Amino acid sequence: MLIVKKFGGSSVANKERVYNVAERILEDYKKGHKVVVVLSAQGDTTDELIAKAKEINPNPSRREMDMLLTTGEQQSVSLMAMALENLGYPAISLNAFQVKMETTSVYSNARLKRIDSERINSELERRNIVLVTGFQGVNRYDDITTLGRGGSDTTAVAIAAALNADKCEIYTDVEGVYTADPRVVKDAKKIDEITYDEMLELASLGAKVLHNRSVEVAKKYGVELVVRSSLTSAEGTIVREECKVEKMLVSGVAGDKNVARIAVVGIKDEPGKAFELFSLLAKNNINVDIILQSIGRDGTKDISFTVPRDVLEDAKKVIEDNLGRLCAQKVEYDDQVAKVSVVGAGMASNPGVASLMFESLYDSGINIKMISTSEIKISVLLDEKDTERAMNAIHEGFKDRF
Ligand code: ASP
Ligand code: MG
Protein backbone atom coordinates (compact mmCIF):
# COMPACT_ATOMS: atom_id res chain seq x y z
CA MET A 1 0.00 0.00 0.00
CA LEU A 2 1.13 3.56 -0.65
CA ILE A 3 0.26 5.90 2.22
CA VAL A 4 0.59 9.69 2.39
CA LYS A 5 0.71 11.06 5.93
CA LYS A 6 0.67 14.75 6.75
CA PHE A 7 1.62 16.09 10.16
CA GLY A 8 0.82 19.64 11.26
CA GLY A 9 3.18 22.00 13.06
CA SER A 10 2.03 21.13 16.58
CA SER A 11 2.58 17.42 15.88
CA VAL A 12 6.30 18.03 15.24
CA ALA A 13 6.79 20.98 17.62
CA ASN A 14 9.74 19.58 19.61
CA LYS A 15 12.12 16.64 19.91
CA GLU A 16 9.65 14.46 21.77
CA ARG A 17 6.91 15.10 19.19
CA VAL A 18 9.33 14.51 16.31
CA TYR A 19 10.13 11.06 17.70
CA ASN A 20 6.45 10.40 18.36
CA VAL A 21 5.73 11.09 14.68
CA ALA A 22 8.72 9.00 13.60
CA GLU A 23 7.15 6.06 15.45
CA ARG A 24 3.80 6.64 13.70
CA ILE A 25 5.56 6.64 10.36
CA LEU A 26 7.43 3.45 11.19
CA GLU A 27 4.25 1.60 12.17
CA ASP A 28 3.28 1.65 8.50
CA TYR A 29 6.76 1.36 7.05
CA LYS A 30 7.50 -1.79 9.06
CA LYS A 31 4.38 -3.43 7.62
CA GLY A 32 6.00 -3.10 4.20
CA HIS A 33 3.98 -0.07 3.04
CA LYS A 34 5.45 2.76 1.00
CA VAL A 35 5.26 5.93 3.06
CA VAL A 36 5.36 9.55 1.93
CA VAL A 37 5.23 12.13 4.73
CA VAL A 38 4.36 15.79 4.30
CA LEU A 39 5.33 18.09 7.15
CA SER A 40 4.47 21.64 8.25
CA ALA A 41 6.90 23.94 10.02
CA GLN A 42 7.45 23.10 13.68
CA GLY A 43 5.08 24.71 16.22
CA ASP A 44 4.80 28.48 15.75
CA THR A 45 7.78 28.73 13.40
CA THR A 46 5.81 30.32 10.56
CA ASP A 47 4.33 33.01 12.86
CA GLU A 48 7.76 33.67 14.32
CA LEU A 49 9.28 34.06 10.87
CA ILE A 50 6.53 36.51 9.93
CA ALA A 51 7.24 38.53 13.08
CA LYS A 52 10.94 38.50 12.31
CA ALA A 53 10.32 39.78 8.79
CA LYS A 54 8.11 42.61 10.03
CA GLU A 55 10.86 43.70 12.41
CA ILE A 56 13.16 44.22 9.45
CA ASN A 57 10.57 45.64 7.05
CA PRO A 58 6.92 46.26 7.95
CA ASN A 59 5.95 45.77 4.32
CA PRO A 60 8.12 43.05 2.83
CA SER A 61 7.56 41.85 -0.73
CA ARG A 62 5.62 38.62 -1.07
CA ARG A 63 8.46 37.01 -2.97
CA GLU A 64 10.90 37.47 -0.12
CA MET A 65 8.28 36.40 2.42
CA ASP A 66 7.88 33.10 0.56
CA MET A 67 11.62 32.65 0.48
CA LEU A 68 11.70 33.10 4.25
CA LEU A 69 8.60 31.15 5.28
CA THR A 70 9.48 28.04 3.30
CA THR A 71 12.57 27.56 5.46
CA GLY A 72 10.27 26.38 8.27
CA GLU A 73 9.12 23.32 6.35
CA GLN A 74 12.64 22.58 5.22
CA GLN A 75 13.73 22.38 8.87
CA SER A 76 10.94 19.92 9.68
CA VAL A 77 11.66 17.45 6.91
CA SER A 78 15.40 17.36 7.45
CA LEU A 79 15.01 16.98 11.22
CA MET A 80 12.52 14.14 10.71
CA ALA A 81 14.89 12.41 8.30
CA MET A 82 17.61 12.67 10.95
CA ALA A 83 15.29 11.18 13.58
CA LEU A 84 14.48 8.24 11.30
CA GLU A 85 18.16 7.77 10.46
CA ASN A 86 18.91 7.73 14.15
CA LEU A 87 16.33 4.98 14.64
CA GLY A 88 18.06 3.00 11.92
CA TYR A 89 15.65 3.51 9.03
CA PRO A 90 16.31 4.90 5.55
CA ALA A 91 14.71 8.30 4.95
CA ILE A 92 15.19 11.17 2.55
CA SER A 93 13.86 14.73 2.72
CA LEU A 94 12.84 16.59 -0.44
CA ASN A 95 11.78 20.19 -1.06
CA ALA A 96 9.54 21.62 -3.77
CA PHE A 97 12.41 21.96 -6.25
CA GLN A 98 13.49 18.38 -5.84
CA VAL A 99 9.95 17.06 -6.26
CA LYS A 100 9.14 19.58 -8.99
CA MET A 101 5.96 20.95 -7.52
CA GLU A 102 4.82 23.50 -10.09
CA THR A 103 2.55 26.30 -8.97
CA THR A 104 1.00 29.44 -10.39
CA SER A 105 3.19 32.50 -10.04
CA VAL A 106 1.28 34.38 -7.31
CA TYR A 107 3.56 34.63 -4.30
CA SER A 108 2.05 33.82 -0.87
CA ASN A 109 -1.09 32.35 -2.39
CA ALA A 110 0.00 30.10 -5.24
CA ARG A 111 -1.95 27.12 -6.52
CA LEU A 112 -0.39 23.77 -7.29
CA LYS A 113 -0.54 22.95 -10.99
CA ARG A 114 1.49 19.79 -11.38
CA ILE A 115 3.53 17.45 -9.25
CA ASP A 116 6.17 15.25 -10.79
CA SER A 117 5.89 11.82 -9.21
CA GLU A 118 9.15 10.48 -10.64
CA ARG A 119 11.57 11.41 -7.87
CA ILE A 120 9.24 10.35 -5.07
CA ASN A 121 8.49 7.05 -6.79
CA SER A 122 12.13 6.22 -7.35
CA GLU A 123 12.93 6.95 -3.69
CA LEU A 124 10.04 4.74 -2.63
CA GLU A 125 11.32 1.96 -4.87
CA ARG A 126 14.59 2.13 -2.94
CA ARG A 127 12.53 1.60 0.24
CA ASN A 128 13.20 5.11 1.47
CA ILE A 129 10.70 6.90 3.66
CA VAL A 130 10.11 10.10 1.70
CA LEU A 131 9.68 13.36 3.63
CA VAL A 132 8.31 16.25 1.59
CA THR A 133 8.06 19.92 2.57
CA GLY A 134 4.44 21.06 2.78
CA PHE A 135 3.17 24.53 1.86
CA GLN A 136 5.74 25.28 -0.85
CA GLY A 137 6.03 25.12 -4.61
CA VAL A 138 8.01 26.51 -7.53
CA ASN A 139 6.68 28.92 -10.13
CA ARG A 140 7.65 29.42 -13.76
CA TYR A 141 10.34 31.92 -12.82
CA ASP A 142 11.97 29.19 -10.74
CA ASP A 143 11.07 31.12 -7.62
CA ILE A 144 9.80 29.49 -4.51
CA THR A 145 6.12 30.14 -3.69
CA THR A 146 3.77 29.27 -0.83
CA LEU A 147 0.22 27.96 -0.96
CA GLY A 148 -1.31 30.22 1.69
CA ARG A 149 -1.47 29.67 5.45
CA GLY A 150 -2.31 26.08 6.29
CA GLY A 151 -1.30 25.01 2.78
CA SER A 152 0.56 21.84 3.79
CA ASP A 153 -2.75 19.97 3.80
CA THR A 154 -3.08 20.81 0.13
CA THR A 155 0.45 19.58 -0.60
CA ALA A 156 -0.40 16.25 1.00
CA VAL A 157 -3.66 15.78 -0.88
CA ALA A 158 -2.10 16.80 -4.20
CA ILE A 159 0.74 14.32 -3.67
CA ALA A 160 -1.76 11.60 -2.79
CA ALA A 161 -3.62 12.36 -6.03
CA ALA A 162 -0.44 12.49 -8.13
CA LEU A 163 0.84 9.17 -6.76
CA ASN A 164 -2.57 7.56 -6.74
CA ALA A 165 -2.05 6.73 -3.06
CA ASP A 166 -4.21 4.20 -1.26
CA LYS A 167 -4.57 6.40 1.83
CA CYS A 168 -4.16 10.06 2.73
CA GLU A 169 -4.05 10.79 6.44
CA ILE A 170 -3.96 14.29 7.87
CA TYR A 171 -2.63 14.23 11.41
CA THR A 172 -3.31 17.10 13.75
CA ASP A 173 -3.58 17.85 17.48
CA VAL A 174 -7.32 17.19 17.69
CA GLU A 175 -9.09 13.89 17.07
CA GLY A 176 -10.78 14.92 13.84
CA VAL A 177 -13.39 17.32 12.53
CA TYR A 178 -15.82 18.53 15.19
CA THR A 179 -19.39 19.80 15.05
CA ALA A 180 -17.90 23.14 16.21
CA ASP A 181 -14.55 24.38 17.44
CA PRO A 182 -14.22 22.54 20.78
CA ARG A 183 -12.36 25.51 22.24
CA VAL A 184 -15.50 27.61 21.73
CA VAL A 185 -18.30 25.08 22.13
CA LYS A 186 -17.75 22.70 25.05
CA ASP A 187 -20.29 20.14 23.81
CA ALA A 188 -18.81 19.87 20.31
CA LYS A 189 -18.62 16.28 19.12
CA LYS A 190 -16.27 14.52 16.76
CA ILE A 191 -17.80 13.75 13.36
CA ASP A 192 -17.15 10.22 12.03
CA GLU A 193 -17.80 10.93 8.35
CA ILE A 194 -18.40 14.08 6.35
CA THR A 195 -18.83 14.77 2.62
CA TYR A 196 -16.39 16.86 0.59
CA ASP A 197 -19.07 19.48 0.04
CA GLU A 198 -19.83 19.86 3.71
CA MET A 199 -16.15 19.92 4.61
CA LEU A 200 -15.50 22.51 1.92
CA GLU A 201 -18.16 24.76 3.39
CA LEU A 202 -16.91 24.25 6.94
CA ALA A 203 -13.30 24.86 5.94
CA SER A 204 -14.09 28.07 4.10
CA LEU A 205 -16.47 29.25 6.83
CA GLY A 206 -13.79 29.35 9.45
CA ALA A 207 -13.36 25.82 10.79
CA LYS A 208 -9.59 25.73 10.78
CA VAL A 209 -8.94 22.00 10.73
CA LEU A 210 -8.30 21.65 6.96
CA HIS A 211 -7.01 24.08 4.33
CA ASN A 212 -10.04 24.60 2.10
CA ARG A 213 -8.11 24.11 -1.11
CA SER A 214 -7.02 20.68 0.12
CA VAL A 215 -10.68 19.67 0.20
CA GLU A 216 -11.22 21.03 -3.32
CA VAL A 217 -8.31 18.95 -4.59
CA ALA A 218 -9.53 15.88 -2.69
CA LYS A 219 -12.98 16.24 -4.23
CA LYS A 220 -11.64 16.82 -7.71
CA TYR A 221 -9.42 13.72 -7.67
CA GLY A 222 -11.55 11.58 -5.37
CA VAL A 223 -8.89 11.32 -2.66
CA GLU A 224 -10.48 9.98 0.51
CA LEU A 225 -9.07 11.80 3.55
CA VAL A 226 -8.77 10.81 7.16
CA VAL A 227 -8.28 13.59 9.70
CA ARG A 228 -6.91 12.21 12.97
CA SER A 229 -4.77 12.90 15.99
CA SER A 230 -1.03 12.32 16.07
CA LEU A 231 -1.22 11.83 19.84
CA THR A 232 -3.95 9.21 20.21
CA SER A 233 -5.04 6.21 18.19
CA ALA A 234 -8.66 7.43 17.87
CA GLU A 235 -10.14 6.78 14.44
CA GLY A 236 -10.62 10.32 13.25
CA THR A 237 -12.97 11.74 10.64
CA ILE A 238 -13.30 10.40 7.10
CA VAL A 239 -13.91 12.97 4.35
CA ARG A 240 -15.36 11.46 1.18
CA GLU A 241 -17.90 11.99 -1.62
CA GLU A 242 -20.81 10.18 0.03
CA CYS A 243 -21.38 9.19 3.61
CA LYS A 244 -22.76 5.77 4.45
CA VAL A 245 -24.26 6.71 7.77
CA GLU A 246 -27.79 7.99 7.73
CA LYS A 247 -27.78 11.65 6.83
CA MET A 248 -27.78 13.92 9.80
CA LEU A 249 -29.56 17.19 9.37
CA VAL A 250 -26.51 19.35 10.00
CA SER A 251 -22.84 18.54 10.37
CA GLY A 252 -21.34 21.59 11.98
CA VAL A 253 -21.35 25.19 13.17
CA ALA A 254 -18.52 27.52 12.19
CA GLY A 255 -17.56 31.07 13.13
CA ASP A 256 -15.42 33.45 11.11
CA LYS A 257 -14.13 36.80 12.33
CA ASN A 258 -12.18 37.67 9.23
CA VAL A 259 -15.18 39.61 7.98
CA ALA A 260 -16.04 43.26 7.39
CA ARG A 261 -19.21 44.84 6.04
CA ILE A 262 -19.38 47.61 3.50
CA ALA A 263 -22.61 49.51 2.77
CA VAL A 264 -22.81 51.65 -0.33
CA VAL A 265 -25.72 53.96 0.34
CA GLY A 266 -27.88 55.93 -2.10
CA ILE A 267 -26.81 54.42 -5.41
CA LYS A 268 -28.92 55.41 -8.41
CA ASP A 269 -31.66 52.79 -8.89
CA GLU A 270 -30.95 51.84 -12.47
CA PRO A 271 -29.58 48.79 -14.35
CA GLY A 272 -25.84 48.20 -14.27
CA LYS A 273 -24.95 49.68 -10.87
CA ALA A 274 -24.37 46.34 -9.13
CA PHE A 275 -22.35 45.19 -12.10
CA GLU A 276 -20.23 48.31 -11.94
CA LEU A 277 -19.53 47.96 -8.22
CA PHE A 278 -18.73 44.26 -8.17
CA SER A 279 -16.71 44.19 -11.37
CA LEU A 280 -14.57 46.96 -9.88
CA LEU A 281 -13.93 44.83 -6.80
CA ALA A 282 -13.31 41.69 -8.86
CA LYS A 283 -10.78 43.49 -11.02
CA ASN A 284 -8.90 44.34 -7.86
CA ASN A 285 -9.00 40.72 -6.64
CA ILE A 286 -11.35 41.48 -3.76
CA ASN A 287 -13.59 38.55 -2.86
CA VAL A 288 -17.13 39.46 -1.94
CA ASP A 289 -19.29 37.17 0.15
CA ILE A 290 -22.77 38.00 1.46
CA ILE A 291 -24.58 40.59 -0.67
CA LEU A 292 -27.76 42.43 0.23
CA GLN A 293 -29.57 45.00 -1.88
CA SER A 294 -32.36 47.14 -0.46
CA ILE A 295 -35.62 47.92 -2.20
CA GLY A 296 -35.25 51.09 -4.24
CA ARG A 297 -36.81 54.23 -2.78
CA ASP A 298 -36.88 57.75 -4.26
CA GLY A 299 -34.80 56.56 -7.19
CA THR A 300 -31.96 55.23 -5.05
CA LYS A 301 -31.01 51.95 -3.43
CA ASP A 302 -28.37 50.63 -1.01
CA ILE A 303 -26.06 47.69 -1.57
CA SER A 304 -24.23 46.12 1.34
CA PHE A 305 -21.81 43.24 1.22
CA THR A 306 -19.04 41.56 3.16
CA VAL A 307 -15.35 41.14 2.35
CA PRO A 308 -12.54 39.44 4.29
CA ARG A 309 -11.47 41.90 7.00
CA ASP A 310 -7.84 41.65 5.94
CA VAL A 311 -8.67 43.22 2.57
CA LEU A 312 -10.98 45.93 3.92
CA GLU A 313 -8.34 48.63 3.44
CA ASP A 314 -7.86 47.60 -0.21
CA ALA A 315 -11.62 47.56 -0.77
CA LYS A 316 -11.97 51.01 0.83
CA LYS A 317 -9.40 52.44 -1.49
CA VAL A 318 -11.03 50.99 -4.62
CA ILE A 319 -14.44 52.32 -3.60
CA GLU A 320 -13.26 55.77 -2.49
CA ASP A 321 -11.34 56.18 -5.74
CA ASN A 322 -14.48 55.42 -7.76
CA LEU A 323 -17.21 57.11 -5.74
CA GLY A 324 -18.00 59.47 -8.61
CA ARG A 325 -18.54 56.67 -11.10
CA LEU A 326 -20.76 54.75 -8.71
CA CYS A 327 -22.90 57.86 -8.04
CA ALA A 328 -23.31 56.80 -4.38
CA GLN A 329 -24.24 59.23 -1.59
CA LYS A 330 -22.02 57.64 1.04
CA VAL A 331 -20.19 54.49 2.06
CA GLU A 332 -20.13 52.93 5.52
CA TYR A 333 -17.61 50.40 6.82
CA ASP A 334 -17.95 48.04 9.79
CA ASP A 335 -15.09 45.82 10.86
CA GLN A 336 -16.69 44.63 14.11
CA VAL A 337 -18.80 41.91 12.52
CA ALA A 338 -18.48 38.13 12.24
CA LYS A 339 -20.15 35.37 10.31
CA VAL A 340 -21.63 32.30 11.95
CA SER A 341 -22.86 29.41 9.81
CA VAL A 342 -24.47 26.02 10.02
CA VAL A 343 -23.58 23.45 7.39
CA GLY A 344 -25.28 20.20 6.49
CA ALA A 345 -26.02 18.19 3.37
CA GLY A 346 -29.27 17.14 5.05
CA MET A 347 -30.73 20.63 5.12
CA ALA A 348 -31.50 20.72 1.39
CA SER A 349 -34.42 18.35 1.91
CA ASN A 350 -35.47 19.52 5.38
CA PRO A 351 -37.41 22.71 5.90
CA GLY A 352 -37.05 24.39 9.26
CA VAL A 353 -33.27 24.59 9.55
CA ALA A 354 -33.25 28.36 9.06
CA SER A 355 -36.06 28.92 11.53
CA LEU A 356 -34.35 26.75 14.15
CA MET A 357 -31.15 28.73 13.68
CA PHE A 358 -32.94 32.07 13.97
CA GLU A 359 -34.90 30.88 16.99
CA SER A 360 -31.69 29.89 18.77
CA LEU A 361 -30.28 33.36 18.14
CA TYR A 362 -33.50 35.07 19.20
CA ASP A 363 -33.58 33.10 22.46
CA SER A 364 -30.12 34.46 23.22
CA GLY A 365 -31.07 38.00 22.25
CA ILE A 366 -28.59 38.10 19.38
CA ASN A 367 -29.34 40.42 16.47
CA ILE A 368 -28.84 39.31 12.86
CA LYS A 369 -27.44 41.87 10.41
CA MET A 370 -27.43 39.88 7.19
CA ILE A 371 -28.39 36.38 6.07
CA SER A 372 -27.21 34.21 3.23
CA THR A 373 -28.09 30.67 2.28
CA SER A 374 -27.00 27.93 -0.10
CA GLU A 375 -28.22 24.35 -0.53
CA ILE A 376 -26.11 23.12 2.36
CA LYS A 377 -25.41 26.15 4.55
CA ILE A 378 -26.98 29.12 6.25
CA SER A 379 -24.80 32.03 7.34
CA VAL A 380 -25.68 35.03 9.43
CA LEU A 381 -23.70 38.17 9.97
CA LEU A 382 -23.72 39.52 13.51
CA ASP A 383 -21.74 41.67 15.95
CA GLU A 384 -18.28 40.23 16.44
CA LYS A 385 -18.70 40.25 20.21
CA ASP A 386 -21.66 37.83 19.87
CA THR A 387 -19.71 35.19 17.90
CA GLU A 388 -18.97 32.69 20.65
CA ARG A 389 -22.41 33.07 22.24
CA ALA A 390 -24.08 32.58 18.87
CA MET A 391 -22.05 29.45 18.09
CA ASN A 392 -23.00 27.96 21.44
CA ALA A 393 -26.66 28.90 21.09
CA ILE A 394 -26.94 27.43 17.61
CA HIS A 395 -25.02 24.28 18.57
CA GLU A 396 -27.38 23.82 21.51
CA GLY A 397 -30.40 24.39 19.28
CA PHE A 398 -29.28 21.69 16.84
CA LYS A 399 -27.91 19.28 19.44
CA ASP A 400 -30.27 16.44 18.51
CA ARG A 401 -29.75 16.90 14.77
CA PHE A 402 -25.99 16.36 14.44
N1 ASP B 1 3.56 26.38 8.05
C1 ASP B 1 2.49 26.93 7.26
C2 ASP B 1 1.54 27.72 8.15
O1 ASP B 1 1.76 27.83 9.32
C3 ASP B 1 1.77 25.90 6.46
C4 ASP B 1 1.00 24.87 7.23
O2 ASP B 1 1.15 24.77 8.44
O3 ASP B 1 0.24 24.13 6.64
O4 ASP B 1 0.58 28.26 7.66
MG1 MG C 1 -3.15 23.27 9.43
Side-chain angles (χ1 to χ4, degrees):
M1 207 153 46
L2 198 165
I3 305 174
V4 175
K5 293 164 119 52
K6 181 259 169 180
F7 294 89
S10 55
S11 301
V12 292
N14 51 40
K15 177 179 164 193
E16 191 200 337
R17 294 274 174 101
V18 166
Y19 275 97
N20 167 59
V21 166
E23 292 299 340
R24 306 273 325 220
I25 296 170
L26 289 172
E27 276 169 30
D28 283 322
Y29 181 81
K30 287 180 191 164
K31 288 182 193 146
H33 300 310
K34 294 176 172 170
V35 188
V36 179
V37 181
V38 175
L39 298 180
S40 294
Q42 290 184 291
D44 298 324
T45 304
T46 309
D47 290 325
E48 286 160 14
L49 289 170
I50 292 172
K52 210 173 220 178
K54 300 258 148 110
E55 248 175 52
I56 300 281
N57 174 350
N59 236 327
S61 70
R62 290 178 169 207
R63 182 195 182 278
E64 297 308 329
M65 274 312 268
D66 284 359
M67 193 73 175
L68 180 68
L69 297 192
T70 47
T71 61
E73 272 65 21
Q74 198 150 325
Q75 292 180 21
S76 296
V77 290
S78 50
L79 291 170
M80 187 61 70
M82 293 174 198
L84 290 162
E85 274 173 9
N86 196 27
L87 294 170
Y89 290 87
I92 183 164
S93 62
L94 298 172
N95 66 18
F97 275 98
Q98 293 164 312
V99 176
K100 300 199 182 74
M101 291 199 258
E102 280 176 37
T103 69
T104 54
S105 23
V106 206
Y107 301 102
S108 88
N109 197 19
R111 280 174 178 260
L112 279 169
K113 292 203 303 198
R114 214 178 70 87
I115 294 180
D116 191 343
S117 49
E118 206 180 297
R119 178 73 190 265
I120 298 181
N121 274 328
S122 70
E123 299 296 346
L124 289 172
E125 286 310 320
R126 280 184 215 127
R127 281 305 282 152
N128 275 322
I129 297 166
V130 182
L131 305 154
V132 183
T133 48
F135 181 52
Q136 59 180 249
V138 180
N139 70 12
R140 64 191 162 113
Y141 308 113
D142 264 355
D143 277 345
I144 199 143
T145 53
T146 62
L147 308 181
R149 295 303 307 268
S152 298
D153 297 336
T154 302
T155 310
V157 177
I159 287 179
L163 299 178
N164 207 354
D166 300 287
K167 254 194 200 174
C168 183
E169 300 173 324
I170 309 285
Y171 286 85
T172 172
D173 54 359
V174 291
E175 292 198 338
V177 182
Y178 282 72
T179 51
D181 184 339
R183 282 163 303 186
V184 177
V185 179
K186 293 277 164 309
D187 297 333
K189 285 182 301 211
K190 199 196 82 191
I191 303 169
D192 292 332
E193 289 188 333
I194 186 168
T195 65
Y196 293 129
D197 289 332
E198 289 171 304
M199 193 62 235
L200 208 49
E201 290 284 8
L202 279 180
S204 46
L205 291 170
K208 287 175 197 72
V209 33
L210 281 177
H211 192 229
N212 64 346
R213 215 166 284 156
S214 72
V215 189
E216 278 173 31
V217 177
K219 180 177 162 69
K220 184 165 172 196
Y221 296 100
V223 177
E224 192 171 300
L225 301 182
V226 182
V227 181
R228 56 189 303 188
S229 164
S230 63
L231 301 168
T232 73
S233 55
E235 293 218 334
T237 303
I238 300 174
V239 190
R240 53 158 72 117
E241 185 63 40
E242 299 246 351
C243 290
K244 281 197 269 14
V245 288
E246 201 188 318
K247 260 272 118 20
M248 296 294 124
L249 186 56
V250 291
S251 58
V253 178
D256 184 2
K257 294 185 177 179
N258 183 20
V259 182
R261 179 170 68 155
I262 300 176
V264 186
V265 180
I267 307 180
K268 229 188 197 168
D269 193 9
E270 63 181 25
K273 284 295 166 221
F275 169 60
E276 199 150 334
L277 172 62
F278 293 115
S279 61
L280 203 57
L281 294 163
K283 260 183 231 142
N284 287 279
N285 277 321
I286 293 164
N287 268 330
V288 171
D289 184 25
I290 307 177
I291 301 176
L292 193 77
Q293 179 178 298
S294 72
I295 295 177
R297 223 178 292 118
D298 304 328
T300 68
K301 62 189 173 192
D302 309 334
I303 297 180
S304 40
F305 56 93
T306 63
V307 297
R309 200 180 294 170
D310 51 19
V311 303
L312 178 62
E313 286 309 313
D314 297 349
K316 257 186 193 171
K317 185 162 187 326
V318 171
I319 293 173
E320 304 290 331
D321 287 351
N322 290 280
L323 265 188
R325 253 173 78 193
L326 294 169
C327 318
Q329 287 159 3
K330 64 172 181 193
V331 188
E332 290 166 359
Y333 304 97
D334 185 354
D335 63 359
Q336 309 280 303
V337 291
K339 183 170 68 172
V340 172
S341 314
V342 306
V343 171
M347 71 172 68
S349 48
N350 276 287
V353 174
S355 82
L356 183 53
M357 181 177 187
F358 303 153
E359 183 184 357
S360 309
L361 293 170
Y362 167 66
D363 285 345
S364 299
I366 295 169
N367 191 35
I368 301 172
K369 294 171 179 273
M370 284 168 113
I371 300 169
S372 102
T373 64
S374 81
E375 277 223 310
I376 65 164
K377 76 146 202 236
I378 301 170
S379 299
V380 294
L381 194 78
L382 32 78
D383 270 332
E384 179 178 3
K385 63 171 173 36
D386 291 333
T387 314
E388 285 77 14
R389 231 158 37 88
M391 288 174 68
N392 275 288
I394 295 167
H395 197 275
E396 179 65 22
F398 281 95
K399 71 170 184 283
D400 304 322
R401 324 283 179 109
F402 285 113

